[in-house]
Amino acid sequence: MSGNGSNGGRTTRDIVAKLWKLCDNLQGGGVSYKDYVNELTYLLFLKMLEETNREDLIPAPYRWRKLYEKAGEEQLLHYRRTLLELGDTTGKRGVAPIVVAIYTDAKTALNKPVDLAGLVKAIEEIDWFSAKEDGLGDLYEGLLEKTTSEKKSKAGQYFTPRPLIDCIVRLVKPQPGEVIQDPAAGTGGFLIASDTYIKAHTDNLYQLEAARAAFQRERAYVGSEFVRDTYRLCLMNLLLHGIDSMIQPDDSLEAAGEALGKAELVLTNPPFNRFPTTTNRADFSITAAARKGPMPFVEHVVRALQPGGRAAIVVPDPVLYDDDTGRRLRSWMMELCDVHTILRLPTGIFYAQGVKTNVLFLTRGRSDRGNTQAVWVYDLRANMPAFGKTRPLTTDVFKEFESAFGDDPYGKAARVDTGEQGRFRCFTREEIKARDDSLELAWLRGAVEDPEDELTEPEDIAAAILGHLKNALEEIEGLTEAIEPRGAETIEATA
């Protein structure tokens, strides 16, 4: 998050800190961090519509000023009625569809009029002039990012670190006119970063003709987010960043995922854990009977790409080395796509999910055979410190990788293999075949055997232990599935 105003975002940070501190006062009333973020979403949305002159999206009786002018029990009752009316899905209330989507099934966790009055007063007293200079989207996103540091809320599972998102977007270079998709959108980080990048290179879209600018605002971004509360936060986040695209509240591993259509660019960080249910996609073959999780999302990404389209997907380590379905998926992917770059991410970025992670950069081929000729791997994990509460991830961590990756978003810039002592190496397709198509390509060994040994914060240590336990359970479940009887399986080489 970075402010655009002359204060460099200081006002935004101050407002976020002030609003977040109010949560401490509500803890005794049973309001969790997650509930508090939802509550702020409902209230801030009303106020921000007033500040941005977009109150035409909602009927006059349910606008911010009406709520602010009431007091006591009457204010709380009016607030509850407002949530109900704005979330009315019958379409009879004159509420814009995106507003209905945000407020569908919305309920307040506030039971005391004094608690609501405190939040309304705090929001009203915000320095909105300075906040608008920084950007209202940045203000809201600051609140979302704040939740990532609160382990109690478990909200971190929905967030990809902003420095990583920005690094990926700078490398893949989203372009005006492209359909950009995220099938596991979370709070919209990849879509918003792509939009920010495009606006920065088009003078906030003013360099585009009217029809192209409208496309960017209304149709360029597509995606799904299955978790209802996260979906609500995503829509709010998109709207406050000037994006009117409606992502869907669907599971991309069901039929609705195919309905997302094709895209020139897919950016996503899907859930890392595997779920008890299996995929239900008529167009799937490799992971058709697999449990929902990262591997089916990889198949979705490959199938969602237009020929020549590019993607970056965050995946846990097992996707790179698992046998059976994992091996077939990688072989199929390397036939259809040019898997040109893998970034091995540092330890500690995704402790909430309990796995070590990577970013796959790939381009969908224009033919269905032999698209991967070589894979470049950048090891940003070996001999690196663990990241956590005491050592936050920053943009500087990725500078050398971005330089090595080069300026070509398709991974075709001139590159240098730094050898066994360096971080960037090239592996030919033949070398990968000799490894039974495993993409677990690690070579560095150094003084820092386990960065987790350097962790000092109890929360970081506990999260690391939890991560190892989750990994162990995944491996046991995978072994169990591997020894169960199953019919003959075939590899589909075309999509």
Side-chain angles (χ1 to χ4, degrees):
M1 181 183 67
S2 61
N4 299 318
S6 59
N7 57 17
R10 184 179 64 254
T11 298
T12 292
R13 291 192 295 271
D14 291 345
I15 293 172
V16 168
K18 178 181 178 181
L19 291 175
W20 197 254
K21 188 174 181 180
L22 291 175
C23 185
D24 294 336
N25 301 329
L26 299 176
Q27 289 289 291
V31 179
S32 67
Y33 287 109
K34 176 185 172 184
D35 288 337
Y36 181 59
V37 172
N38 282 331
E39 216 72 65
L40 282 177
T41 296
Y42 307 147
L43 292 168
L44 279 172
F45 184 77
L46 297 178
K47 178 59 176 173
M48 288 178 173
L49 288 182
E50 179 183 75
E51 294 296 327
T52 56
N53 297 316
R54 299 203 65 181
E55 288 189 297
D56 58 304
L57 296 175
I58 58 177
Y62 307 112
R63 295 173 184 173
W64 173 259
R65 200 52 44 189
K66 293 292 184 181
L67 178 65
Y68 176 73
E69 291 171 351
K70 298 185 183 301
E73 190 70 28
E74 182 185 9
Q75 186 182 53
L76 182 57
L77 291 174
H78 181 76
Y79 178 48
R80 289 172 177 166
R81 185 163 56 252
T82 296
L83 297 182
L84 182 64
E85 295 294 336
L86 295 183
D88 184 357
T89 58
T90 65
K92 299 177 182 178
R93 307 292 184 184
V95 184
I98 193 168
V99 176
V100 174
I102 289 172
Y103 284 96
T104 297
D105 299 326
K107 297 176 183 176
T108 179
L110 302 176
N111 295 312
K112 300 177 182 178
V114 65
D115 291 338
L116 175 61
L119 285 176
V120 170
K121 183 174 183 291
I123 291 172
E124 176 67 19
E125 292 177 350
I126 285 174
D127 180 359
W128 287 100
F129 178 80
S130 297
K132 282 187 281 188
E133 279 193 324
D134 274 6
L136 297 186
D138 280 352
L139 169 58
Y140 185 67
E141 198 162 351
L143 288 166
L144 296 181
E145 289 184 306
K146 186 70 173 175
T147 64
T148 65
S149 64
E150 303 297 341
K151 299 295 192 295
K152 294 179 182 179
S153 72
K154 299 188 186 298
Q157 62 182 301
Y158 303 130
F159 295 85
T160 309
R162 183 63 47 196
L164 175 59
I165 288 178
D166 291 341
C167 165
I168 291 172
V169 168
R170 284 192 296 269
L171 294 176
V172 299
K173 294 179 171 52
Q175 297 297 308
E178 292 185 324
V179 173
I180 301 173
Q181 182 190 125
D182 186 345
T187 57
F190 275 116
L191 301 180
I192 289 167
S194 297
D195 184 66
T196 300
Y197 180 92
I198 289 172
K199 285 176 177 174
H201 289 79
T202 60
D203 189 22
N204 202 30
L205 305 184
Y206 285 115
Q207 293 177 1
L208 305 179
E209 60 186 37
R212 295 183 69 200
F215 172 83
Q216 288 303 129
R217 288 189 295 268
E218 300 167 7
R219 301 188 302 280
Y221 306 103
V222 299
S224 294
E225 175 47 52
F226 185 57
V227 179
R228 168 56 64 175
D229 285 342
T230 311
Y231 174 69
R232 194 191 322 277
L233 301 179
C234 183
L235 288 180
M236 174 80 162
N237 206 9
L238 292 173
L239 190 62
L240 291 176
H241 281 86
I243 302 172
D244 292 337
S245 297
M246 281 281 290
I247 70 163
Q248 301 304 312
D250 301 317
D251 183 348
S252 295
L253 301 183
E254 299 285 337
E258 186 176 4
L260 287 175
K262 300 290 187 179
E264 282 80 19
L265 178 60
V266 180
L267 302 173
T268 191
N269 175 19
F272 295 154
N273 54 310
R274 294 191 300 170
F275 296 89
T277 54
T278 57
T279 56
N280 183 23
R281 287 276 297 267
D283 62 323
F284 274 20
S285 59
I286 307 301
T287 63
R291 287 168 53 186
K292 291 181 179 178
M295 289 187 192
F297 270 103
V298 172
E299 180 164 358
H300 169 89
V301 170
V302 173
R303 294 187 182 280
L305 283 174
Q306 295 275 17
R310 61 206 185 284
I313 176 171
V314 181
V315 297
D317 274 13
V319 171
L320 304 185
Y321 62 73
D322 266 0
D323 289 333
D324 194 42
T325 301
R327 179 185 55 76
R328 294 188 299 117
L329 178 67
R330 293 188 299 274
S331 300
W332 174 79
M333 176 177 63
M334 286 187 284
E335 285 294 305
L336 292 175
C337 300
D338 177 14
V339 185
H340 55 80
T341 310
I342 297 175
L343 170 62
R344 288 168 55 84
L345 289 169
T347 302
I349 294 179
F350 295 110
Y351 270 146
Q353 292 86 349
V355 290
K356 294 179 180 179
T357 53
N358 315 267
V359 184
L360 297 179
F361 293 87
L362 54 93
T363 304
R364 179 66 191 256
R366 298 186 183 278
S367 66
D368 292 336
R369 296 283 181 178
N371 281 285
T372 298
Q373 298 298 312
V375 178
W376 286 80
V377 181
Y378 194 97
D379 192 335
L380 198 55
R381 184 183 307 167
N383 295 322
M384 290 287 289
F387 291 89
K389 189 172 183 179
T390 56
R391 185 183 281 108
L393 190 70
T394 64
T395 301
D396 289 343
V397 172
F398 299 103
K399 280 186 176 180
E400 291 186 7
F401 166 63
E402 291 185 38
S403 177
F405 186 99
D407 289 334
D408 190 320
Y410 300 91
K412 297 304 181 184
R415 294 174 167 182
V416 177
D417 188 323
T418 56
E420 293 186 359
Q421 302 304 312
R423 292 195 178 274
F424 203 29
R425 298 201 62 194
C426 181
F427 296 84
T428 66
R429 185 68 182 91
E430 288 70 27
E431 289 175 312
I432 295 170
K433 284 181 180 178
R435 296 169 177 255
D436 202 20
D437 280 350
S438 170
L439 291 175
E440 187 187 26
L441 305 168
W443 62 95
L444 285 176
R445 298 290 183 271
V448 182
E449 293 297 330
D450 189 349
E452 291 175 2
D453 292 340
E454 299 181 347
L455 297 177
T456 58
E457 286 290 324
E459 286 184 348
D460 289 340
I461 295 171
I465 293 171
L466 179 61
H468 289 301
L469 290 174
K470 287 182 177 180
N471 281 338
L473 285 174
E474 288 285 332
E475 290 181 7
I476 292 171
E477 290 173 353
L479 178 61
T480 301
E481 291 177 358
I483 63 178
E484 288 177 350
R486 58 185 184 276
E489 298 168 321
T490 59
I491 297 178
E492 179 189 354
T494 60

